């Protein structure tokens, strides 16, 4: 894959929904003949295992990339990061109409706790993640991708000018000597469309947003199924994703910073939408907690107990892995979400 062209990858919706499939096909058809773009299609991004050709293709892309999926942009970006497909988050100007109203209400910036950030070295490229639910018109996605292509082209040109200024080319016999880019392994030089679209089994696992995660390790203490672990630097990670219980988002509810995402969960906040502010009081309780009552911790305990019983184990209630955020940790600052939950408890809600 060339660094001078923008790679566009469309991740298909699971199933064969005719309206979704028609939009996907229209977007691909409108972009195939664009000279600046390399367009490919893969199955549902969330379901791609490490050996799937679609995943290998994504890993082989070196330059800037646009990924279109039926996931929220934050969820798709950190899902890719989890799979080792790293880059800088590319800002998109394609927004759903409802976002305009939400932005108008957010006047006061909210101070967020310091996050641990992504691990390892971030490649010098940008990854743009577009939500296919943001428009039902393929023209809107085409226009945004062309804008992104121009943005990437301008950024490459600026870097080339800077490099030329700081590192004049070595001349030999009147020719500039440039170091060629290394070739891809032969197995990754070409990916047949039928291999890219090979069926992928459905999966269920959490994705960590390291731009929010503070490494408090509450998810590690709360989950009793061995899903979470820590790396050599004591950073939280999803260690055994296939041990996660299908449909259970309990650990996401106990995360103080909303850093745990289940990309295909029904509640928008848990699925990775930008809903409200973690450190502020501007929170839609029904969207955040996935129900009509704002007792997120209570819901998490019930969900965990249900899965324990389904596993043939005993329910533990709130006695295990759920710290009393005020009484047991007096030295830790209480954030507004904690205060909000405590206030609801005191009111008997």
């Amino acid at each position: 894959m060339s660094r001078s062209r923008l790679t566009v990858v469309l991740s298909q919706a699971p199933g064969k929904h005719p309206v979704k499939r028609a939009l996907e096909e229209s977007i691909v058809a409108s972009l195939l003949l664009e000279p600046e773009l390399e367009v490919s299609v893969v199955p549902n991004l969330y379901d791609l295992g490490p050996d799937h050709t679609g995943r290998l293709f994504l890993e082989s892309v070196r330059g800037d990339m646009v990924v279109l999926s039926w996931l929220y942009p934050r969820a798709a970006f950190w899902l890719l990061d989890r799979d080792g497909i790293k880059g800088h988050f590319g800002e998109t100007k394609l927004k759903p109409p409802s976002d305009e109203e939400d932005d108008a209400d957010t006047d006061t910036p909210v101070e967020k706790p310091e996050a641990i950030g992504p691990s390892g070295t971030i490649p010098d490229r940008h990854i743009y993640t577009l939500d296919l639910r943001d428009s039902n018109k393929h023209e809107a996605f085409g226009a945004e991708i062309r804008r992104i292509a121009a943005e990437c082209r301008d950024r490459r040109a600026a870097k080339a000018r800077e490099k030329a200024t700081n590192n004049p080319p070595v001349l030999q016999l009147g020719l500039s000597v440039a170091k060629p880019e290394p070739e891809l392994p032969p197995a990754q030089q070409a990916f047949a469309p039928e291999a890219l679209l090979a069926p992928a089994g459905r999966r269920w696992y959490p994705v960590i947003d390291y731009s929010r995660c503070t490494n408090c390790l509450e998810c590690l203490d709360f989950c009793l199924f061995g899903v979470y672990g820590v790396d050599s630097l004591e950073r939280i990670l999803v260690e055994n994703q296939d041990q996660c219980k299908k449909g259970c988002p309990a650990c996401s509810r106990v995360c103080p910073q909303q850093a745990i995402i289940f990309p295909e969960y029904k509640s928008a906040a848990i699925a990775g939408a930008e809903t409200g502010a973690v450190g502020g009081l501007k929170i839609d309780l029904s969207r955040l907690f996935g129900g009509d009552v704002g007792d997120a911790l209570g819901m998490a305990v019930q969900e965990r107990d249900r899965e324990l019983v389904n596993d043939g184990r005993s329910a533990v209630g709130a006695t295990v892995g759920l710290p009393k955020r005020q009484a047991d940790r007096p030295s830790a600052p209480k954030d507004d979400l904690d205060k909000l939950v405590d206030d609801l408890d005191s009111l008997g809600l």
Side-chain angles (χ1 to χ4, degrees), residues 5 103 148 150 154 274 305 311 341:
R5 300 176 71 190
D103 292 343
I148 291 172
D154 293 343
E274 297 286 353
D305 278 351
D311 251 8
V341 172

Side-chain angles (χ1 to χ4, degrees), residues 192-251:
E194 58 271 17
L196 288 177
L197 287 171
R202 300 305 308 275
R203 309 176 85 192
W204 178 267
Y205 55 90
V207 174
I208 300 174
D209 178 347
Y210 287 103
S211 71
R212 294 188 178 191
C213 176
T214 60
N215 212 42
C216 69
L217 303 183
E218 288 196 17
C219 54
L220 178 64
D221 294 334
F222 183 79
C223 177
L224 302 180
F225 303 102
V227 174
Y228 294 97
V230 293
D231 62 16
S232 59
L233 299 177
E234 296 298 313
R235 291 166 50 97
I236 189 69
L237 55 78
V238 179
E239 190 170 53
N240 301 299
Q241 67 179 33
D242 292 328
Q243 292 181 205
C244 189
K245 301 302 179 181
K246 186 176 181 180
C248 176
C251 57

Side-chain angles (χ1 to χ4, degrees), residues 322-334 338 342:
L322 194 64
K324 296 177 181 177
R325 294 182 180 178
Q326 183 175 7
D328 291 352
R329 297 191 301 174
S331 61
K334 176 181 274 195
D338 294 333
D342 290 344

Side-chain angles (χ1 to χ4, degrees), residues 6-13 24 27-28 31 37-48 54-55 57-81 83-92 94 125-134 141 144-146 148-149 152:
L6 178 65
T7 300
V8 179
V9 181
L10 188 142
S11 168
Q12 291 185 320
E24 294 167 355
I27 293 172
V28 172
L31 299 175
L37 307 178
E38 293 183 356
V39 183
S40 297
V41 182
V42 299
N44 184 26
L45 197 64
Y46 187 58
D47 294 332
L48 295 182
R55 169 86 164 267
F57 169 77
L58 288 166
E59 292 173 355
S60 73
V61 177
R62 295 196 189 102
D64 298 315
M65 178 164 53
V66 175
V67 177
L68 302 100
S69 69
W70 299 92
L71 304 175
Y72 290 108
R74 186 167 71 94
F77 180 83
W78 289 105
L79 173 59
L80 291 166
D81 181 89
D83 291 340
I85 303 159
K86 297 177 178 289
H88 299 284
F89 185 80
E91 295 289 345
T92 175
L94 181 64
R125 54 98 172 257
H126 285 68
I127 297 177
Y128 299 79
T129 50
L130 307 186
D131 187 346
L132 287 166
R133 295 167 295 189
D134 284 349
F141 293 101
E144 175 60 7
I145 290 171
R146 293 181 189 97
I148 291 172
C152 294

